Amino acid sequence: MDWAILLEKAILILAVVTVSLVIAMYATWAERKVAAVIQDRRGPNRAGPFGLLQPVADGLKLFMKEEIIPNSSSKFLFIAGPALAMITALMTSAVIPWGPAVNLFGRDINLQIADINIGMLYVFGVVSLGVYGIMIGGWASNNKFSLLAAIRGASQMISYELAMGLCLIAVLMLTGSLRLSVIVGEQIGGLWNVVYQPLGFMIFFVCALAECNRTPFDLPEAENELNFGYHQEYSSMKLGFYLFAEYINMFISGVVMSTLYFGGYDIPFVNEAQWGNAWWVGLVGFGVLMAKALFFVFVFMWIRWTIPRFRYDQLMNLGWKGLIPLALLNMVATAVVILLLNK
Amino acid sequence: MGITPILFWVLSTMALFSALMVITSKNPVHSVIWLILVFFAISGHYLLLNAQFLAIVNIIVYAGAIMVLFLYVLMLMDLKKEMEPQKNRWLKIAGAVAGGSLLLVLVAALKKADIGKDIAETRMGDIGLIENLGRILFTDFVVPFEISSILFLSAMVGAVMIGKKE
């Protein structure tokens, strides 16, 4: 076996996970700053310049808090819940092309952990597993509010996964490959997918909001109905993991949307292929992808502080009677146009 | 020993152990979670055979959708009591006889089959990749494929009809 490639992948995995965690950490800070700007306040400004040390202080506080495991809970599953939420949040990053291939130390390094044949299905598979963290945690708490919230979360995620999958099928028909590297490559060569799939992107975006449990779809943690939602019995860093996983999910879904619809690491109107494959080209591509993803994270926050929460029946109506028929229509229309144009 | 046999033994042990735990767990929710582990181990086996599409679809459909619904139903039922209702003794004997006969038939079928000849091709062969699988499904096996899709549709309509019944 080639040890160099093993080392390369290990470093890449470490880098990607670290970047995701740091970005999620500062997304909590950014969330409060965005909320402050929208509500005409100052936001966190005590710890460090601009309150930049606030996430560190919060993390320290969460670690120091007393850890409580309810007596009547199912102990192993109670601990497994937040761990599963964290793992499924981080797993998607494995198939994302984070930048163009670069040449470093005389080796061609692909800035993608695994360029698998089924990349898009892998993303979908991980998304469909994301529900277990909430369900297992909510059930193991042995609290009726947690259980109700977990069941709400599960039904919401299953409902919105369907429309999301239908949008993915339209993208698949457009590019003819499930490989995310091919999807990005086609968009670099031609137009971005969002030009062909504006409706598909809108549906995907709404579904991403629902899958991340963000407002207006944050019914699993609707505190005025369910006290605190599925993580009511959690304390200390286990609670932190649940809250943190939500921010990682937000960041990763921003990355997935940029990759599928907005050209990934492509810089618009610039032919970066002629720059060769020096290390800084990879860094620029990575930076561009980050900029796109962080813009989506910002939009997520913007929506959170603008729109109130849906009622449960409104949520189900939108999912099953609104988005799924629209997504089906989008899929059929895409298929017909591709057939007529012989693309 | 190469990496493939090691993975094979790890996955097989995991699959068999989890399958045993599915039927021996007292708590039905624990059983479902063990069953999810079984599906992951089986998907791992598919990956060893380079059937990537089958592996991920197994995860999406079984682990990601069907098992979630199982959990959903089990969590809504009050199954906190670890005691199962005791079945009739004759029912238990009948069950043991029926299960034993099935085991006998399976073992007999395996004994006749020439297993040594069919060695699994690990990490090669591309029949499991999505392009080839799709082409075969829509050319050679188009009739069974369409029939199974009609079966799915009728199951869906049936589920909606049952759900609509007041």
Side-chain angles (χ1 to χ4, degrees):
Chain A
M1 193 188 293
D2 192 355
W3 288 104
I5 201 157
L6 218 60
L7 186 71
E8 176 194 314
K9 293 293 179 199
I11 291 173
L12 205 58
I13 291 171
L14 204 66
V16 165
V17 169
T18 313
V19 166
S20 308
L21 289 176
V22 170
I23 285 183
M25 207 166 120
Y26 274 91
T28 61
W29 172 82
E31 173 107 81
R32 290 183 209 172
K33 280 289 186 195
V34 169
V37 169
I38 288 176
Q39 297 169 347
D40 205 11
R41 295 185 283 116
R42 280 186 194 279
N45 60 356
R46 297 287 143 168
F50 307 109
L52 272 174
L53 292 177
Q54 188 66 43
V56 182
D58 284 344
L60 198 67
K61 185 195 81 174
L62 281 172
F63 272 115
M64 293 302 175
K65 287 269 180 182
E66 186 189 357
E67 201 146 352
I68 300 167
I69 299 181
N71 269 336
S72 56
S73 66
S74 158
K75 290 223 170 37
F76 180 74
L77 291 179
F78 187 78
I79 297 167
L84 277 174
M86 202 67 171
I87 291 170
T88 48
L90 284 169
M91 255 164 62
T92 316
S93 56
V95 292
I96 308 276
W98 294 94
V102 291
N103 195 308
L104 214 60
F105 309 120
R107 288 176 53 85
D108 280 325
I109 293 174
N110 200 356
L111 291 185
Q112 188 178 10
I113 295 168
D115 188 13
I116 50 176
N117 194 278
I118 44 164
M120 213 145 82
L121 283 177
Y122 173 87
V123 172
F124 193 59
V126 175
V127 167
S128 70
L129 293 178
V131 63
Y132 281 117
I134 292 180
M135 275 195 100
I136 289 177
W139 180 79
S141 305
N142 202 6
N143 172 321
K144 65 181 168 192
F145 291 113
S146 303
L147 181 63
L148 278 176
I151 281 170
R152 270 191 184 187
S155 54
Q156 167 182 331
M157 280 180 149
I158 291 179
S159 310
Y160 281 80
E161 249 165 44
L162 293 174
M164 194 179 226
L166 291 171
C167 295
L168 285 180
I169 291 177
V171 175
L172 169 64
M173 287 193 293
L174 214 57
T175 46
S177 176
L178 286 166
R179 259 178 216 276
L180 288 176
S181 54
V182 175
I183 293 173
V184 172
E186 291 234 332
Q187 295 181 76
I188 290 176
L191 285 170
W192 287 357
N193 276 340
V194 70
V195 179
Y196 302 111
Q197 289 284 326
L199 181 64
F201 168 69
M202 288 304 293
I203 298 169
F204 193 93
F205 183 82
V206 174
C207 293
L209 272 178
E211 293 290 329
C212 295
N213 291 324
R214 294 287 297 180
T215 325
F217 301 103
D218 61 343
L219 284 142
E221 41 191 302
E223 57 281 288
N224 46 3
E225 301 158 22
L226 295 167
N227 289 344
F228 197 36
Y230 57 91
H231 43 49
Q232 181 164 26
E233 298 288 348
Y234 283 90
S235 57
S236 180
M237 203 53 201
K238 289 207 280 300
L239 171 69
F241 261 36
Y242 269 128
L243 303 182
F244 218 54
E246 180 181 319
Y247 284 92
I248 296 175
N249 272 328
M250 247 163 83
F251 167 62
I252 294 287
S253 59
V255 172
V256 169
M257 277 188 282
S258 324
T259 306
L260 289 179
Y261 290 99
F262 285 83
Y265 49 81
D266 177 35
I267 311 171
F269 310 117
V270 176
N271 182 12
E272 66 265 47
Q274 60 189 1
W275 294 347
N277 53 2
W279 61 271
W280 58 269
V281 179
L283 212 60
V284 168
F286 179 70
V288 170
L289 179 62
M290 283 303 108
K292 291 174 186 173
L294 291 182
F295 174 72
F296 283 120
V297 173
F298 168 69
V299 175
F300 274 32
M301 290 172 183
W302 187 6
I303 289 173
R304 173 165 180 184
W305 299 107
T306 311
I307 303 176
R309 181 184 301 135
F310 280 140
R311 244 180 18 237
Y312 193 69
D313 57 324
Q314 291 172 329
L315 171 97
M316 283 294 148
N317 275 340
L318 177 69
W320 288 95
K321 295 181 187 162
L323 291 182
I324 290 178
L326 259 183
L328 270 174
L329 199 73
N330 179 49
M331 188 184 86
V332 173
T334 312
V336 168
V337 169
I338 288 175
L339 194 68
L340 287 181
L341 296 179
N342 277 325
K343 205 178 145 233
Chain B
M1 206 151 66
I3 188 102
T4 313
I6 295 174
L7 283 175
F8 173 80
W9 287 112
V10 169
L11 286 171
S12 303
T13 317
M14 185 175 143
L16 289 176
F17 177 74
S18 314
L20 277 176
M21 289 308 288
V22 173
I23 49 174
T24 49
S25 293
K26 281 271 175 7
N27 190 327
V29 172
H30 292 176
S31 285
V32 169
I33 291 165
W34 282 112
L35 193 56
I36 295 165
L37 274 183
V38 176
F39 288 133
F40 271 94
I42 290 175
S43 274
H45 278 299
Y46 289 148
L47 278 184
L48 282 185
L49 298 169
N50 206 12
Q52 301 184 4
F53 180 68
L54 204 55
I56 198 72
V57 165
N58 189 38
I59 298 243
I60 292 176
V61 174
Y62 283 96
I66 294 181
M67 284 301 117
V68 173
L69 293 178
F70 267 55
L71 265 187
Y72 198 101
V73 173
L74 284 176
M75 285 177 182
L76 281 177
M77 289 196 284
D78 187 27
L79 293 168
K80 289 282 155 56
K81 291 179 292 281
E82 302 236 324
M83 287 291 291
E84 291 172 51
Q86 286 296 312
K87 295 252 166 55
N88 184 345
R89 195 193 316 148
W90 290 107
L91 209 61
K92 276 187 190 164
I93 294 173
V97 170
S101 321
L102 179 65
L103 183 69
L104 193 71
V105 171
L106 285 179
V107 170
L110 271 181
K111 195 168 171 257
K112 268 224 159 166
D114 196 0
I115 310 171
K117 215 170 57 187
D118 305 321
I119 298 165
E121 292 178 355
T122 50
R123 287 197 294 161
M124 48 176 165
D126 47 9
I127 193 69
L129 300 187
I130 186 163
E131 290 92 351
N132 309 320
L133 199 67
R135 195 157 290 129
I136 284 177
L137 276 183
F138 281 101
T139 51
D140 295 356
F141 298 102
V142 68
V143 176
F145 183 69
E146 293 298 335
I147 289 176
S148 57
S149 73
I150 290 172
L151 193 67
F152 269 118
L153 191 66
S154 56
M156 241 162 72
V157 172
V160 171
M161 283 308 290
I162 292 171
K164 277 209 152 181
K165 209 173 270 176
E166 300 287 84

